[in-house]
Amino acid sequence: MFLQKTKRDKMVAQVFKVDLNKPLVFQVGHLGEDYQEWVHQPIVSKEGPRFFASDFWEFLTRTQWWVIPLVWLPVVGYSVNISKQMGHTLPELVLMVMGGIFIWSLLEYTLHRFLFHINTTSYWGNTLHYLLHGCHHKHPMDGLRLVFPPAATAILLVPFWNLVKLFSTPSTTPALFGGGLLGYVMYDCTHYYLHHGQPTKEVPKNLKHYNLLISSPYPDMIDEPCCASVSKRFIPTKPAHDEPSCRYHLNHHFRVQTKGFGITSSLWDKVFGTLPPSKVGEKSN
């Protein structure tokens, strides 16, 4: 009996606990198999956590939303202009930009489904996942970490450029690339708006409600008597459906992490069969 108790006490002592008052990035890896459960128990606060002890690296993790269009829209214009100088007409440029946005929409879906929501258990797997997407689930209202830092984006644009080159000509590559980059800007700004905007029209209200349901599981909201969230800033208090169905909707779909990977569009969720049941139900009503 004494030996069993001692063994149990040692096992409890070995359970790692994250200290939220210390930089988080190099702590979360120690959670091992408990990481997935921990990261999906959100802390709803405007104040974001500290990631690194170094002020330099900490600075690189924080980005104001307006930095994204400020930095990347000129690159979009420059890229499209290269194709224009190569002899393409305005209608052709418009089609190429739209094609680039289409390519981005598929990439957005693919990354969100197969990379952002990958299950990790190893130290470095947990650490990298937390930096990439887990931090957003843990601190969904951290406004300075909702958009991707430009330095990291610049690195990822290199393989994206090479990807576009695989199925385009030298003169169409720049405009397609610019369209894809424009799609990314739309994605990041939309993502920020879904968390911090105050939509008044039904379409953006429903989009915000839908995306927050599938991207940020706030457990406190499941037992709410209506669709009012932990804060009125998160989800509109008067959604398109009534309160009883909203309560059922939150209970039935709020923790669905395997569906609804589109942010700016639900197109690929429809194509690949990952549309949340809530969307199907709303369409059938």
Side-chain angles (χ1 to χ4, degrees), residues 9-51:
D9 291 343
K10 287 183 178 180
M11 291 178 63
V12 172
Q14 290 175 356
V15 175
F16 182 81
K17 292 185 178 180
V18 173
D19 187 346
L20 296 175
N21 295 317
K22 296 180 180 179
L24 294 183
V25 168
F26 294 119
Q27 291 190 68
V28 299
H30 294 294
L31 288 169
E33 295 181 354
D34 295 329
Y35 168 74
Q36 291 296 326
E37 180 181 357
W38 176 84
V39 82
H40 289 112
Q41 295 176 354
I43 298 175
V44 182
S45 172
K46 294 180 183 179
E47 297 297 327
R50 188 172 182 90
F51 276 19

Side-chain angles (χ1 to χ4, degrees), residues 240-255:
H241 38 278
D242 57 19
E243 292 182 1
S245 63
C246 179
R247 181 186 299 181
Y248 170 81
H249 179 74
L250 294 179
N251 275 287
H252 192 65
H253 303 296
F254 206 63
R255 297 181 185 274

Side-chain angles (χ1 to χ4, degrees), residues 77 89 94 101 121 134 224 230 283:
T89 63
V94 171
I101 294 175
T121 57
E224 289 287 308
V230 177
K283 285 189 174 185

Side-chain angles (χ1 to χ4, degrees), residues 9 30 105 136 194:
D9 291 343
H30 294 294
S105 69
H136 173 56
L194 292 176

